[in-house]
Amino acid sequence: MNGELNALDRLVALFSKLPGIGKKSAGRLVYHVLDADPSYARTLAAELAGLHHAIKRCGTCGSFTESDPCPICASPARDRSLICVVERAQDVRVIDESREFQGLFHVLGGLIAPLEGVNPGDLAIAQLAGRVRDEGVREVILALNPTIEGDTTALYIQKFLREKLPSRQIEISRLASGLPVGGDLEYTDRLTLSRSLRGRIKM
């Protein structure tokens, strides 16, 4: 053998780079595709190839969308006095599907983590202050994961908004402690998330 990977091995290697997918799970996915009708593989490949062309970042909130602004930012039915701040774009879907929150969203693009080279200037914190100032926001809900990085980021945002907008009476709150310490919003069940939103704590 010359040591070169064949098509199956290369696809397993690609799938295994996805979050939460190990080599065994990647192998099962690849064999599932092989066992399916060839049209399924062609459709999957076409959708993946066109993903970055079809999906973009919303220029307002930073979430992924096919239209700019995204449907949430463009909706006249949303409560524009509330902004829910999240770490990642996928957190928007998780919270919106809970049906508990009817305001707007703001995606930071990460959490402050100096050891990993992520500083406040790397996140969309200044843009958040601009939205709060310009859009008549009265409450900012920090829906960040209950981790050291999440806590650090929440405290920094609170201080940043107070310093940048001293004349504004803005209520800043965090999700209640129904979320497990070190947990991830993406894997939180809808009931727990709803209770955490309803019982949010002022900062």
Side-chain angles (χ1 to χ4, degrees):
M1 294 190 56
N2 59 13
E4 293 183 4
L5 297 177
N6 60 30
L8 192 151
D9 293 329
R10 291 195 298 272
L11 198 52
V12 168
L14 286 170
F15 272 116
S16 64
K17 291 182 179 180
L18 295 172
I21 304 293
K23 195 169 183 179
K24 288 185 178 179
S25 296
R28 286 196 293 269
L29 290 172
V30 172
Y31 281 109
H32 173 76
V33 173
L34 284 171
D35 287 335
D37 189 280
S39 63
Y40 174 77
R42 289 194 295 271
T43 302
L44 178 62
E47 291 293 338
L48 286 172
L51 187 62
H52 284 90
H53 177 72
I55 304 297
K56 58 182 77 72
R57 291 276 187 180
C58 174
T60 303
C61 72
S63 183
F64 289 123
T65 179
E66 289 191 59
S67 58
D68 190 8
C70 70
I72 291 177
C73 288
S75 173
R78 309 294 295 206
D79 184 347
R80 313 193 84 77
S81 69
L82 298 174
I83 285 187
C84 183
V85 179
V86 296
E87 174 189 351
R88 303 161 302 182
Q90 53 263 48
D91 296 331
V92 172
R93 172 172 287 188
V94 172
I95 293 176
D96 197 47
E97 288 180 348
S98 74
R99 306 298 182 197
E100 188 65 37
F101 180 73
Q102 295 300 318
L104 301 177
F105 290 92
H106 187 83
V107 179
L108 292 176
L111 296 174
I112 297 172
L115 293 179
E116 298 175 16
V118 182
N119 297 303
D122 300 317
L123 307 179
I125 296 175
Q127 294 91 323
L128 171 64
R131 292 185 67 192
V132 171
R133 180 191 63 235
D134 299 336
E135 298 178 20
V137 175
R138 63 175 175 80
E139 182 180 0
V140 174
I141 303 170
L142 302 175
L144 306 177
N145 291 323
T147 59
I148 293 174
E149 294 80 9
D151 292 344
T152 299
T153 305
L155 290 172
Y156 181 89
I157 291 174
Q158 180 190 27
K159 182 181 178 182
F160 187 86
L161 291 178
R162 300 291 189 210
E163 290 178 351
K164 292 295 181 181
L165 305 168
S167 62
R168 290 287 306 277
Q169 296 298 316
I170 310 160
E171 189 171 300
I172 301 174
S173 58
R174 282 201 74 180
L175 297 187
S177 57
L179 297 176
V181 174
D184 193 308
L185 283 177
E186 188 175 358
Y187 304 109
T188 303
D189 65 271
R190 183 178 296 180
L191 179 58
T192 298
L193 188 55
S194 294
R195 287 174 175 171
S196 295
L197 278 164
R198 286 197 301 269
R200 57 187 182 270
I201 304 166
K202 293 182 182 180
M203 295 182 67

